[in-house]
Amino acid sequence: RNQGQILGPDGQRMSKSRGNVVDPDEQVKLYGADTVRAFMMFGYRWAEGGPWEPGSIQGANRWLRRLWITFLEPGEGKADEGTLRVLRRKVHQTLRSVTNDFEQFEFNTIISSLMELLNDMVKAKQAGAYGTPAWDEAVEIYLKMLSPVAPHISEELWTLLGHPYSVHTQAWATVDEEATREDQVTLVVQVNGKVRDRVTVPADISDADARQTALASPVVQKFLEGRTPRQVIYVKGKLVNIVQ
């Protein structure tokens, strides 16, 4: 695929004749090669291009600095099983989406997903996940996903954390589909086709219980006005439509 045009700070196509060219070597000196690479991938869709935004490159730099600290500084405490289960779920859900995005050249959404996952990992670390098998797995998978984006930092972290040489020669991680399953889902509740409420239920709720939960909603009861609905249609894991 062809990369889209990169625009200068003035919003025009970069050109020496226009005097709006941003020297990448200078940016590398300021922020490092991985930050510049990550910014170029994150700033816009690969096939479309976009303008150079100094604020965005600083954001990419902050993200890489934060993950460096998160992965290397020890944590304290002991996480409960719920925290570790949520961490593994987020890691494998991210792995699934990032794998697909790499195949589609959607680099900007890859970095967005990695930024979001780092936020979740920081929360898990604060809850005591550091040093657990779930944490070690999360870091290993994260570095594998990061390696095409920030090859130097990911290799350095991979080595410092005691993994065998090199992250770039490792097999891509495999999604644990069981780990990606949600404990709960949110059902949209409609009355005569119009959204009236949302209810959170166990992911494995039975059809009958899903219908009953929707009917028990105070908001739904208000619209039913004591009348028995003619039909209650349940689309598993998504919505309940109550027809009067």
Side-chain angles (χ1 to χ4, degrees):
R1 302 186 183 189
N2 295 324
Q3 183 182 3
Q5 295 293 341
I6 302 175
L7 308 181
D10 57 0
Q12 301 296 315
R13 178 180 176 183
M14 280 193 187
S15 169
K16 288 184 178 180
S17 63
R18 291 190 174 96
N20 65 349
V21 174
V22 176
D23 185 353
D25 291 337
E26 289 300 318
Q27 301 301 313
V28 169
K29 289 178 184 178
L30 283 171
Y31 301 107
D34 280 359
T35 293
V36 175
R37 180 183 178 92
F39 161 72
M40 297 289 286
M41 298 171 77
F42 180 56
Y44 33 76
R45 297 188 69 184
W46 178 253
E48 296 176 1
W52 181 272
E53 297 179 359
S56 294
I57 196 171
Q58 292 167 14
N61 186 248
R62 287 193 297 270
W63 163 55
L64 293 176
R65 287 177 178 273
R66 188 183 187 212
L67 76 86
W68 181 277
I69 293 170
T70 300
F71 287 5
L72 291 184
E73 286 191 353
E76 298 179 356
K78 183 178 180 181
D80 57 33
E81 288 300 317
T83 296
L84 300 180
R85 186 171 62 253
V86 170
L87 174 61
R88 292 201 73 238
R89 180 188 304 136
K90 185 62 180 178
V91 167
H92 284 275
Q93 287 176 342
T94 302
L95 174 60
R96 183 170 57 194
S97 65
V98 164
T99 301
N100 180 70
D101 287 345
F102 268 123
E103 294 172 351
Q104 302 299 321
F105 288 77
E106 297 290 351
F107 301 128
N108 58 329
T109 55
I110 289 169
I111 297 177
S112 179
S113 295
L114 290 176
M115 288 178 173
E116 183 179 343
L117 176 57
L118 181 62
N119 290 335
D120 289 308
M121 290 181 67
V122 168
K123 293 177 184 177
K125 183 179 180 181
Q126 292 170 343
Y130 183 89
T132 64
W135 176 263
D136 293 341
E137 178 195 40
V139 170
E140 181 175 331
I141 291 175
Y142 196 106
L143 291 177
K144 288 180 178 180
M145 294 188 291
L146 179 69
S147 60
V149 176
H152 306 92
I153 288 175
S154 57
E155 181 72 1
E156 187 73 9
L157 285 170
W158 185 264
T159 301
L160 289 172
L161 292 169
H163 295 295
Y165 178 88
S166 145
V167 68
H168 302 296
T169 64
Q170 304 303 310
W172 192 252
T174 301
V175 177
D176 182 342
E177 294 294 346
E178 184 62 30
T180 67
R181 298 182 188 278
E182 296 284 354
D183 292 334
Q184 296 182 317
V185 295
T186 299
L187 301 178
V188 173
V189 182
Q190 299 176 335
V191 178
N192 295 330
K194 294 184 178 180
V195 176
R196 299 302 186 185
D197 199 6
R198 288 175 172 82
V199 294
T200 300
V201 299
D204 59 354
I205 192 171
S206 68
D207 292 9
D209 286 346
R211 293 187 178 93
Q212 188 59 42
T213 300
L215 287 169
S217 162
V219 177
V220 170
Q221 287 296 317
K222 175 183 174 182
F223 282 95
L224 289 178
E225 297 178 332
R227 296 189 298 271
T228 300
R230 290 190 293 108
Q231 191 176 14
V232 181
I233 303 168
Y234 175 50
V235 179
K236 193 170 185 63
K238 295 183 178 180
L239 66 85
V240 178
N241 186 26
I242 299 164
V243 183
Q244 290 179 298

